[in-house]
Amino acid sequence: MVKASAPGKLMLFGEHAVIYDRPCIVASVEHRISVSIEKRNDNNLILTAPEFNIENKNISDLEKTHLKKVSFILTAIRNFFQKYDLKSGLDIETQSEFSDKIGLGSSSAAVVSVIKGLSELFKIKMNEKDIFDLSYQTILDVQGLGSGFDVAAAVYGGILFFKTAGKAIKTINPQNIPLVIGYTGIKADTPTLVKMVREKRKKEPNEINNIFNEIEKIVSLARVEIENQNWKKTGELMNLNQNLLRKLGVSSKELEDLIKASLGAGAYGAKLSGAGGGDCMIAITNKNSLENVKNAIKKAGGIVINAKIPVKGVKLE
Ligand code: PMV
């Protein structure tokens, strides 16, 4: 039996623009998904996933229930078998340290863990880019869209400067970043928001492309400030990025409430993280304001998620 785990992610800068060939900055977060895999003597794929109350169920029966997570896992296995011309029955068991509702990237972490686990089980040599490519293909097969930033965080860990489809994946150095994560309690609908921005861009290409160009500038400045661990400047850039996300129309009242509360409590900067509309916001602070910012987020109705950032990428357990 093999067991592999991969971390979740948080978008720090550059969401939405990254889909249109601009870079973004993504961080891996401590909460991990792990997957145990064992060969079977028959051809069945049997899944146990306690977080969805699934115990020893045949995956092809589960597919009919339209559980997204099951599609991701099944497609990852199919893609791996197809690429390496393999076939086998498997027992698969997932374990999750976080809910799939908060937007920390549980699907990409599950896919990456499955691919890593299978490569170990079948003794296929895959480097990080091979795992990225097959996992990203899997996400596109199931979801039809996405830049793959979440897959990169799950594979490589750390903090990454990333370009869509993995055209650039570069590690940014800091071993820690004083970030507070506030969850709005609302599930973001990423595909709908991505499509909404696409429609806007069709109607007003110049305006939206200008916003993306501004975001691109912020990302390259933020890359330097993060490297220098200049959190005050990083925070100011977060505020600028948030302003542009507002212009794109992807922020929400709940996100704005938490952002305002963080800034009022002394954060250097705050912004939504991910597609917008819900999920999480992030704030960057100095050590002295950290507790104040957390309390302000709670008071404003948010849930503070404590997680180490950044962490190691996919690994065998
Ligand atoms: O909603 P999330 O956390 O999956 O983030 C989406 C970020 C986008 O840039 C809007 C989409 C993408 O795949 O890069």
Side-chain angles (χ1 to χ4, degrees), residues 92-138:
I92 307 126
E93 184 168 347
T94 63
Q95 269 164 7
S96 179
E97 286 176 2
F98 60 98
S99 156
D100 64 324
K101 293 193 176 62
I102 54 179
L104 288 184
S106 62
S107 307
S108 40
V111 167
V112 167
S113 303
V114 167
I115 303 279
K116 174 77 179 174
L118 289 172
S119 73
E120 177 69 14
L121 193 65
F122 292 93
K123 301 280 168 244
I124 303 277
K125 272 214 159 65
M126 291 179 87
N127 64 24
E128 286 174 326
K129 190 61 178 19
D130 297 331
I131 296 174
F132 173 86
D133 287 340
L134 200 56
S135 302
Y136 180 47
Q137 184 55 52
T138 301

mmCIF file of all heavy atoms in Angstrom, residues 92-138:
data_model
loop_
_atom_site.group_PDB
_atom_site.id
_atom_site.type_symbol
_atom_site.label_atom_id
_atom_site.label_comp_id
_atom_site.label_asym_id
_atom_site.label_seq_id
_atom_site.Cartn_x
_atom_site.Cartn_y
_atom_site.Cartn_z
ATOM 1 N N ILE A 92 -8.975 2.631 -2.811
ATOM 2 C CA ILE A 92 -8.505 4.001 -2.593
ATOM 3 C C ILE A 92 -9.209 4.561 -1.367
ATOM 4 O O ILE A 92 -10.429 4.429 -1.229
ATOM 5 C CB ILE A 92 -8.875 4.907 -3.795
ATOM 6 C CG1 ILE A 92 -8.374 4.275 -5.088
ATOM 7 C CG2 ILE A 92 -8.314 6.315 -3.655
ATOM 8 C CD1 ILE A 92 -9.453 4.116 -6.104
ATOM 9 N N GLU A 93 -8.423 5.180 -0.495
ATOM 10 C CA GLU A 93 -9.038 5.820 0.676
ATOM 11 C C GLU A 93 -8.509 7.243 0.826
ATOM 12 O O GLU A 93 -7.302 7.467 0.828
ATOM 13 C CB GLU A 93 -8.737 5.017 1.942
ATOM 14 C CG GLU A 93 -9.442 5.602 3.136
ATOM 15 C CD GLU A 93 -9.418 4.698 4.369
ATOM 16 O OE1 GLU A 93 -9.064 3.512 4.246
ATOM 17 O OE2 GLU A 93 -9.744 5.221 5.439
ATOM 18 N N THR A 94 -9.418 8.204 0.912
ATOM 19 C CA THR A 94 -8.971 9.599 1.068
ATOM 20 C C THR A 94 -9.152 10.045 2.512
ATOM 21 O O THR A 94 -10.045 9.574 3.218
ATOM 22 C CB THR A 94 -9.775 10.563 0.169
ATOM 23 O OG1 THR A 94 -11.143 10.528 0.592
ATOM 24 C CG2 THR A 94 -9.702 10.177 -1.282
ATOM 25 N N GLN A 95 -8.279 10.958 2.930
ATOM 26 C CA GLN A 95 -8.420 11.592 4.242
ATOM 27 C C GLN A 95 -8.214 13.071 4.048
ATOM 28 O O GLN A 95 -7.275 13.475 3.361
ATOM 29 C CB GLN A 95 -7.352 11.082 5.199
ATOM 30 C CG GLN A 95 -7.802 9.883 5.983
ATOM 31 C CD GLN A 95 -6.623 9.171 6.614
ATOM 32 O OE1 GLN A 95 -5.505 9.655 6.560
ATOM 33 N NE2 GLN A 95 -6.895 8.032 7.191
ATOM 34 N N SER A 96 -9.079 13.874 4.654
ATOM 35 C CA SER A 96 -8.999 15.304 4.413
ATOM 36 C C SER A 96 -8.844 16.063 5.715
ATOM 37 O O SER A 96 -9.575 15.813 6.668
ATOM 38 C CB SER A 96 -10.271 15.747 3.698
ATOM 39 O OG SER A 96 -10.213 17.112 3.480
ATOM 40 N N GLU A 97 -7.892 17.006 5.736
ATOM 41 C CA GLU A 97 -7.727 17.844 6.928
ATOM 42 C C GLU A 97 -8.570 19.099 6.816
ATOM 43 O O GLU A 97 -8.546 19.932 7.695
ATOM 44 C CB GLU A 97 -6.255 18.252 7.093
ATOM 45 C CG GLU A 97 -5.373 17.128 7.574
ATOM 46 C CD GLU A 97 -3.902 17.539 7.634
ATOM 47 O OE1 GLU A 97 -3.570 18.698 7.330
ATOM 48 O OE2 GLU A 97 -3.099 16.670 7.974
ATOM 49 N N PHE A 98 -9.266 19.272 5.673
ATOM 50 C CA PHE A 98 -10.102 20.470 5.547
ATOM 51 C C PHE A 98 -11.328 20.195 4.688
ATOM 52 O O PHE A 98 -11.345 19.288 3.873
ATOM 53 C CB PHE A 98 -9.302 21.657 5.019
ATOM 54 C CG PHE A 98 -8.674 21.454 3.649
ATOM 55 C CD1 PHE A 98 -9.284 21.949 2.505
ATOM 56 C CD2 PHE A 98 -7.465 20.803 3.516
ATOM 57 C CE1 PHE A 98 -8.694 21.803 1.259
ATOM 58 C CE2 PHE A 98 -6.868 20.643 2.271
ATOM 59 C CZ PHE A 98 -7.485 21.139 1.145
ATOM 60 N N SER A 99 -12.338 21.036 4.903
ATOM 61 C CA SER A 99 -13.594 20.862 4.180
ATOM 62 C C SER A 99 -13.420 21.319 2.732
ATOM 63 O O SER A 99 -12.679 22.256 2.450
ATOM 64 C CB SER A 99 -14.665 21.710 4.864
ATOM 65 O OG SER A 99 -15.679 22.016 3.952
ATOM 66 N N ASP A 100 -14.120 20.662 1.835
ATOM 67 C CA ASP A 100 -14.043 21.074 0.432
ATOM 68 C C ASP A 100 -14.855 22.348 0.203
ATOM 69 O O ASP A 100 -14.886 22.884 -0.890
ATOM 70 C CB ASP A 100 -14.530 19.949 -0.481
ATOM 71 C CG ASP A 100 -15.990 19.636 -0.255
ATOM 72 O OD1 ASP A 100 -16.440 19.716 0.909
ATOM 73 O OD2 ASP A 100 -16.695 19.316 -1.218
ATOM 74 N N LYS A 101 -15.481 22.847 1.273
ATOM 75 C CA LYS A 101 -16.363 24.016 1.103
ATOM 76 C C LYS A 101 -15.619 25.346 1.219
ATOM 77 O O LYS A 101 -16.109 26.376 0.811
ATOM 78 C CB LYS A 101 -17.481 23.981 2.141
ATOM 79 C CG LYS A 101 -18.433 22.827 1.901
ATOM 80 C CD LYS A 101 -19.701 22.958 2.710
ATOM 81 C CE LYS A 101 -20.660 21.842 2.371
ATOM 82 N NZ LYS A 101 -20.109 20.508 2.700
ATOM 83 N N ILE A 102 -14.395 25.353 1.794
ATOM 84 C CA ILE A 102 -13.773 26.644 2.084
ATOM 85 C C ILE A 102 -12.891 27.170 0.956
ATOM 86 O O ILE A 102 -12.353 28.262 1.053
ATOM 87 C CB ILE A 102 -12.971 26.616 3.410
ATOM 88 C CG1 ILE A 102 -11.950 25.479 3.407
ATOM 89 C CG2 ILE A 102 -13.896 26.493 4.592
ATOM 90 C CD1 ILE A 102 -11.115 25.434 4.674
ATOM 91 N N GLY A 103 -12.730 26.380 -0.109
ATOM 92 C CA GLY A 103 -12.014 26.905 -1.270
ATOM 93 C C GLY A 103 -10.507 26.849 -1.141
ATOM 94 O O GLY A 103 -9.802 27.622 -1.778
ATOM 95 N N LEU A 104 -10.004 25.923 -0.334
ATOM 96 C CA LEU A 104 -8.540 25.811 -0.204
ATOM 97 C C LEU A 104 -7.942 24.793 -1.181
ATOM 98 O O LEU A 104 -6.772 24.446 -1.073
ATOM 99 C CB LEU A 104 -8.146 25.454 1.235
ATOM 100 C CG LEU A 104 -8.293 26.555 2.283
ATOM 101 C CD1 LEU A 104 -7.785 26.101 3.643
ATOM 102 C CD2 LEU A 104 -7.546 27.823 1.879
ATOM 103 N N GLY A 105 -8.751 24.310 -2.113
ATOM 104 C CA GLY A 105 -8.174 23.487 -3.180
ATOM 105 C C GLY A 105 -8.139 22.001 -2.882
ATOM 106 O O GLY A 105 -7.156 21.324 -3.188
ATOM 107 N N SER A 106 -9.219 21.475 -2.311
ATOM 108 C CA SER A 106 -9.212 20.054 -1.956
ATOM 109 C C SER A 106 -9.215 19.159 -3.203
ATOM 110 O O SER A 106 -8.608 18.084 -3.190
ATOM 111 C CB SER A 106 -10.387 19.712 -1.050
ATOM 112 O OG SER A 106 -11.606 19.944 -1.700
ATOM 113 N N SER A 107 -9.842 19.591 -4.291
ATOM 114 C CA SER A 107 -9.896 18.736 -5.488
ATOM 115 C C SER A 107 -8.512 18.578 -6.097
ATOM 116 O O SER A 107 -8.085 17.465 -6.424
ATOM 117 C CB SER A 107 -10.814 19.339 -6.547
ATOM 118 O OG SER A 107 -12.055 19.609 -6.010
ATOM 119 N N SER A 108 -7.793 19.712 -6.247
ATOM 120 C CA SER A 108 -6.467 19.603 -6.868
ATOM 121 C C SER A 108 -5.516 18.829 -5.966
ATOM 122 O O SER A 108 -4.715 18.028 -6.450
ATOM 123 C CB SER A 108 -5.920 20.988 -7.206
ATOM 124 O OG SER A 108 -6.205 21.898 -6.193
ATOM 125 N N ALA A 109 -5.628 19.026 -4.641
ATOM 126 C CA ALA A 109 -4.759 18.275 -3.725
ATOM 127 C C ALA A 109 -5.059 16.779 -3.815
ATOM 128 O O ALA A 109 -4.146 15.944 -3.773
ATOM 129 C CB ALA A 109 -4.937 18.775 -2.293
ATOM 130 N N ALA A 110 -6.346 16.410 -3.975
ATOM 131 C CA ALA A 110 -6.712 14.993 -4.095
ATOM 132 C C ALA A 110 -6.158 14.401 -5.392
ATOM 133 O O ALA A 110 -5.569 13.313 -5.399
ATOM 134 C CB ALA A 110 -8.237 14.834 -4.041
ATOM 135 N N VAL A 111 -6.308 15.134 -6.491
ATOM 136 C CA VAL A 111 -5.831 14.646 -7.795
ATOM 137 C C VAL A 111 -4.309 14.430 -7.755
ATOM 138 O O VAL A 111 -3.801 13.390 -8.174
ATOM 139 C CB VAL A 111 -6.214 15.646 -8.922
ATOM 140 C CG1 VAL A 111 -5.473 15.332 -10.213
ATOM 141 C CG2 VAL A 111 -7.722 15.610 -9.155
ATOM 142 N N VAL A 112 -3.602 15.416 -7.231
ATOM 143 C CA VAL A 112 -2.138 15.333 -7.178
ATOM 144 C C VAL A 112 -1.703 14.162 -6.288
ATOM 145 O O VAL A 112 -0.774 13.421 -6.634
ATOM 146 C CB VAL A 112 -1.554 16.690 -6.679
ATOM 147 C CG1 VAL A 112 -0.087 16.564 -6.305
ATOM 148 C CG2 VAL A 112 -1.747 17.763 -7.739
ATOM 149 N N SER A 113 -2.386 13.964 -5.157
ATOM 150 C CA SER A 113 -2.041 12.839 -4.274
ATOM 151 C C SER A 113 -2.285 11.505 -4.976
ATOM 152 O O SER A 113 -1.493 10.564 -4.836
ATOM 153 C CB SER A 113 -2.877 12.866 -2.994
ATOM 154 O OG SER A 113 -2.709 14.076 -2.323
ATOM 155 N N VAL A 114 -3.388 11.411 -5.722
ATOM 156 C CA VAL A 114 -3.700 10.162 -6.441
ATOM 157 C C VAL A 114 -2.596 9.860 -7.466
ATOM 158 O O VAL A 114 -2.079 8.735 -7.527
ATOM 159 C CB VAL A 114 -5.081 10.253 -7.152
ATOM 160 C CG1 VAL A 114 -5.264 9.115 -8.152
ATOM 161 C CG2 VAL A 114 -6.206 10.235 -6.122
ATOM 162 N N ILE A 115 -2.221 10.862 -8.251
ATOM 163 C CA ILE A 115 -1.201 10.649 -9.300
ATOM 164 C C ILE A 115 0.139 10.265 -8.662
ATOM 165 O O ILE A 115 0.810 9.327 -9.114
ATOM 166 C CB ILE A 115 -1.033 11.915 -10.185
ATOM 167 C CG1 ILE A 115 -2.361 12.327 -10.822
ATOM 168 C CG2 ILE A 115 0.079 11.719 -11.221
ATOM 169 C CD1 ILE A 115 -2.795 11.603 -12.052
ATOM 170 N N LYS A 116 0.512 10.966 -7.603
ATOM 171 C CA LYS A 116 1.780 10.651 -6.923
ATOM 172 C C LYS A 116 1.733 9.219 -6.356
ATOM 173 O O LYS A 116 2.679 8.439 -6.506
ATOM 174 C CB LYS A 116 2.020 11.657 -5.794
ATOM 175 C CG LYS A 116 3.218 11.368 -4.917
ATOM 176 C CD LYS A 116 4.490 11.750 -5.600
ATOM 177 C CE LYS A 116 5.706 11.494 -4.723
ATOM 178 N NZ LYS A 116 6.952 11.730 -5.437
ATOM 179 N N GLY A 117 0.611 8.879 -5.732
ATOM 180 C CA GLY A 117 0.451 7.540 -5.147
ATOM 181 C C GLY A 117 0.541 6.454 -6.212
ATOM 182 O O GLY A 117 1.235 5.449 -6.044
ATOM 183 N N LEU A 118 -0.126 6.696 -7.356
ATOM 184 C CA LEU A 118 -0.116 5.693 -8.427
ATOM 185 C C LEU A 118 1.289 5.528 -9.011
ATOM 186 O O LEU A 118 1.714 4.410 -9.328
ATOM 187 C CB LEU A 118 -1.104 6.087 -9.532
ATOM 188 C CG LEU A 118 -2.584 5.970 -9.166
ATOM 189 C CD1 LEU A 118 -3.457 6.563 -10.271
ATOM 190 C CD2 LEU A 118 -2.992 4.524 -8.891
ATOM 191 N N SER A 119 2.017 6.642 -9.145
ATOM 192 C CA SER A 119 3.362 6.545 -9.723
ATOM 193 C C SER A 119 4.253 5.694 -8.815
ATOM 194 O O SER A 119 5.077 4.912 -9.294
ATOM 195 C CB SER A 119 3.965 7.929 -9.946
ATOM 196 O OG SER A 119 4.337 8.508 -8.724
ATOM 197 N N GLU A 120 4.038 5.807 -7.515
ATOM 198 C CA GLU A 120 4.825 5.005 -6.566
ATOM 199 C C GLU A 120 4.384 3.533 -6.619
ATOM 200 O O GLU A 120 5.205 2.620 -6.683
ATOM 201 C CB GLU A 120 4.627 5.586 -5.155
ATOM 202 C CG GLU A 120 5.315 4.837 -4.045
ATOM 203 C CD GLU A 120 6.835 4.950 -4.087
ATOM 204 O OE1 GLU A 120 7.338 5.826 -4.821
ATOM 205 O OE2 GLU A 120 7.497 4.138 -3.407
ATOM 206 N N LEU A 121 3.072 3.321 -6.641
ATOM 207 C CA LEU A 121 2.525 1.957 -6.623
ATOM 208 C C LEU A 121 2.961 1.163 -7.864
ATOM 209 O O LEU A 121 3.256 -0.022 -7.791
ATOM 210 C CB LEU A 121 0.997 2.038 -6.555
ATOM 211 C CG LEU A 121 0.232 0.761 -6.222
ATOM 212 C CD1 LEU A 121 0.555 0.301 -4.804
ATOM 213 C CD2 LEU A 121 -1.274 1.002 -6.328
ATOM 214 N N PHE A 122 3.002 1.834 -9.031
ATOM 215 C CA PHE A 122 3.340 1.139 -10.278
ATOM 216 C C PHE A 122 4.790 1.385 -10.710
ATOM 217 O O PHE A 122 5.173 1.067 -11.832
ATOM 218 C CB PHE A 122 2.363 1.546 -11.392
ATOM 219 C CG PHE A 122 0.970 1.035 -11.146
ATOM 220 C CD1 PHE A 122 0.026 1.803 -10.495
ATOM 221 C CD2 PHE A 122 0.617 -0.267 -11.519
ATOM 222 C CE1 PHE A 122 -1.249 1.321 -10.232
ATOM 223 C CE2 PHE A 122 -0.655 -0.761 -11.272
ATOM 224 C CZ PHE A 122 -1.596 0.038 -10.619
ATOM 225 N N LYS A 123 5.563 1.992 -9.807
ATOM 226 C CA LYS A 123 7.001 2.229 -10.055
ATOM 227 C C LYS A 123 7.242 2.960 -11.387
ATOM 228 O O LYS A 123 8.078 2.570 -12.194
ATOM 229 C CB LYS A 123 7.786 0.903 -10.036
ATOM 230 C CG LYS A 123 7.660 0.147 -8.730
ATOM 231 C CD LYS A 123 8.596 0.716 -7.673
ATOM 232 C CE LYS A 123 8.310 0.190 -6.283
ATOM 233 N NZ LYS A 123 7.863 1.158 -5.304
ATOM 234 N N ILE A 124 6.438 4.008 -11.611
ATOM 235 C CA ILE A 124 6.632 4.854 -12.798
ATOM 236 C C ILE A 124 7.346 6.115 -12.326
ATOM 237 O O ILE A 124 6.866 6.795 -11.411
ATOM 238 C CB ILE A 124 5.270 5.262 -13.412
ATOM 239 C CG1 ILE A 124 4.436 4.031 -13.760
ATOM 240 C CG2 ILE A 124 5.468 6.213 -14.590
ATOM 241 C CD1 ILE A 124 4.736 3.386 -15.056
ATOM 242 N N LYS A 125 8.468 6.434 -12.958
ATOM 243 C CA LYS A 125 9.207 7.652 -12.555
ATOM 244 C C LYS A 125 8.495 8.889 -13.101
ATOM 245 O O LYS A 125 8.335 9.029 -14.299
ATOM 246 C CB LYS A 125 10.627 7.621 -13.141
ATOM 247 C CG LYS A 125 11.626 6.932 -12.277
ATOM 248 C CD LYS A 125 13.012 7.598 -12.395
ATOM 249 C CE LYS A 125 13.881 7.267 -11.211
ATOM 250 N NZ LYS A 125 14.219 5.852 -11.118
ATOM 251 N N MET A 126 8.047 9.752 -12.201
ATOM 252 C CA MET A 126 7.428 11.015 -12.627
ATOM 253 C C MET A 126 8.092 12.143 -11.855
ATOM 254 O O MET A 126 8.135 12.096 -10.619
ATOM 255 C CB MET A 126 5.923 11.013 -12.312
ATOM 256 C CG MET A 126 5.102 10.052 -13.153
ATOM 257 S SD MET A 126 3.346 10.111 -12.679
ATOM 258 C CE MET A 126 2.734 11.458 -13.706
ATOM 259 N N ASN A 127 8.591 13.151 -12.564
ATOM 260 C CA ASN A 127 9.111 14.307 -11.832
ATOM 261 C C ASN A 127 7.951 15.264 -11.537
ATOM 262 O O ASN A 127 6.800 14.996 -11.899
ATOM 263 C CB ASN A 127 10.271 14.984 -12.592
ATOM 264 C CG ASN A 127 9.816 15.563 -13.922
ATOM 265 O OD1 ASN A 127 8.634 15.864 -14.113
ATOM 266 N ND2 ASN A 127 10.740 15.723 -14.848
ATOM 267 N N GLU A 128 8.269 16.385 -10.873
ATOM 268 C CA GLU A 128 7.189 17.298 -10.443
ATOM 269 C C GLU A 128 6.383 17.812 -11.639
ATOM 270 O O GLU A 128 5.166 17.901 -11.583
ATOM 271 C CB GLU A 128 7.792 18.467 -9.659
ATOM 272 C CG GLU A 128 8.235 18.046 -8.262
ATOM 273 C CD GLU A 128 8.968 19.143 -7.524
ATOM 274 O OE1 GLU A 128 9.693 19.916 -8.179
ATOM 275 O OE2 GLU A 128 8.819 19.223 -6.289
ATOM 276 N N LYS A 129 7.092 18.116 -12.743
ATOM 277 C CA LYS A 129 6.374 18.657 -13.901
ATOM 278 C C LYS A 129 5.473 17.588 -14.525
ATOM 279 O O LYS A 129 4.363 17.899 -14.984
ATOM 280 C CB LYS A 129 7.382 19.214 -14.933
ATOM 281 C CG LYS A 129 6.741 20.017 -16.051
ATOM 282 C CD LYS A 129 6.015 21.239 -15.495
ATOM 283 C CE LYS A 129 5.362 22.193 -16.464
ATOM 284 N NZ LYS A 129 5.040 21.838 -17.783
ATOM 285 N N ASP A 130 5.919 16.319 -14.530
ATOM 286 C CA ASP A 130 5.070 15.236 -15.055
ATOM 287 C C ASP A 130 3.790 15.130 -14.216
ATOM 288 O O ASP A 130 2.690 14.952 -14.754
ATOM 289 C CB ASP A 130 5.801 13.883 -14.998
ATOM 290 C CG ASP A 130 7.045 13.857 -15.863
ATOM 291 O OD1 ASP A 130 7.082 14.580 -16.872
ATOM 292 O OD2 ASP A 130 8.000 13.115 -15.509
ATOM 293 N N ILE A 131 3.959 15.216 -12.884
ATOM 294 C CA ILE A 131 2.787 15.121 -11.992
ATOM 295 C C ILE A 131 1.884 16.333 -12.219
ATOM 296 O O ILE A 131 0.654 16.199 -12.299
ATOM 297 C CB ILE A 131 3.227 15.035 -10.510
ATOM 298 C CG1 ILE A 131 4.019 13.743 -10.275
ATOM 299 C CG2 ILE A 131 2.015 15.073 -9.577
ATOM 300 C CD1 ILE A 131 4.622 13.619 -8.894
ATOM 301 N N PHE A 132 2.493 17.510 -12.366
ATOM 302 C CA PHE A 132 1.699 18.719 -12.630
ATOM 303 C C PHE A 132 0.884 18.537 -13.915
ATOM 304 O O PHE A 132 -0.332 18.760 -13.936
ATOM 305 C CB PHE A 132 2.594 19.964 -12.752
ATOM 306 C CG PHE A 132 1.809 21.177 -13.192
ATOM 307 C CD1 PHE A 132 1.154 21.967 -12.256
ATOM 308 C CD2 PHE A 132 1.672 21.492 -14.543
ATOM 309 C CE1 PHE A 132 0.382 23.061 -12.657
ATOM 310 C CE2 PHE A 132 0.902 22.578 -14.954
ATOM 311 C CZ PHE A 132 0.252 23.365 -14.006
ATOM 312 N N ASP A 133 1.563 18.132 -15.000
ATOM 313 C CA ASP A 133 0.889 18.061 -16.307
ATOM 314 C C ASP A 133 -0.304 17.094 -16.289
ATOM 315 O O ASP A 133 -1.386 17.427 -16.773
ATOM 316 C CB ASP A 133 1.887 17.646 -17.398
ATOM 317 C CG ASP A 133 2.856 18.777 -17.734
ATOM 318 O OD1 ASP A 133 2.544 19.949 -17.440
ATOM 319 O OD2 ASP A 133 3.938 18.487 -18.283
ATOM 320 N N LEU A 134 -0.095 15.905 -15.718
ATOM 321 C CA LEU A 134 -1.185 14.917 -15.720
ATOM 322 C C LEU A 134 -2.326 15.355 -14.781
ATOM 323 O O LEU A 134 -3.504 15.155 -15.088
ATOM 324 C CB LEU A 134 -0.644 13.531 -15.325
ATOM 325 C CG LEU A 134 -1.506 12.342 -15.724
ATOM 326 C CD1 LEU A 134 -1.790 12.320 -17.228
ATOM 327 C CD2 LEU A 134 -0.853 11.027 -15.312
ATOM 328 N N SER A 135 -1.958 15.973 -13.675
ATOM 329 C CA SER A 135 -2.991 16.446 -12.728
ATOM 330 C C SER A 135 -3.775 17.603 -13.337
ATOM 331 O O SER A 135 -5.002 17.672 -13.217
ATOM 332 C CB SER A 135 -2.346 16.907 -11.420
ATOM 333 O OG SER A 135 -1.611 15.865 -10.836
ATOM 334 N N TYR A 136 -3.067 18.511 -13.996
ATOM 335 C CA TYR A 136 -3.743 19.667 -14.617
ATOM 336 C C TYR A 136 -4.680 19.190 -15.724
ATOM 337 O O TYR A 136 -5.816 19.662 -15.843
ATOM 338 C CB TYR A 136 -2.689 20.639 -15.156
ATOM 339 C CG TYR A 136 -3.271 21.866 -15.810
ATOM 340 C CD1 TYR A 136 -4.282 22.605 -15.203
ATOM 341 C CD2 TYR A 136 -2.812 22.303 -17.058
ATOM 342 C CE1 TYR A 136 -4.816 23.733 -15.803
ATOM 343 C CE2 TYR A 136 -3.344 23.436 -17.660
ATOM 344 C CZ TYR A 136 -4.345 24.142 -17.030
ATOM 345 O OH TYR A 136 -4.880 25.256 -17.631
ATOM 346 N N GLN A 137 -4.205 18.212 -16.510
ATOM 347 C CA GLN A 137 -5.061 17.634 -17.551
ATOM 348 C C GLN A 137 -6.347 17.085 -16.923
ATOM 349 O O GLN A 137 -7.453 17.273 -17.446
ATOM 350 C CB GLN A 137 -4.296 16.518 -18.274
ATOM 351 C CG GLN A 137 -5.051 15.908 -19.442
ATOM 352 C CD GLN A 137 -5.481 16.984 -20.447
ATOM 353 O OE1 GLN A 137 -4.662 17.766 -20.897
ATOM 354 N NE2 GLN A 137 -6.778 17.047 -20.753
ATOM 355 N N THR A 138 -6.196 16.422 -15.776
ATOM 356 C CA THR A 138 -7.344 15.837 -15.071
ATOM 357 C C THR A 138 -8.335 16.923 -14.644
ATOM 358 O O THR A 138 -9.547 16.784 -14.834
ATOM 359 C CB THR A 138 -6.842 15.049 -13.833
ATOM 360 O OG1 THR A 138 -5.948 14.035 -14.289
ATOM 361 C CG2 THR A 138 -7.988 14.439 -13.063
#
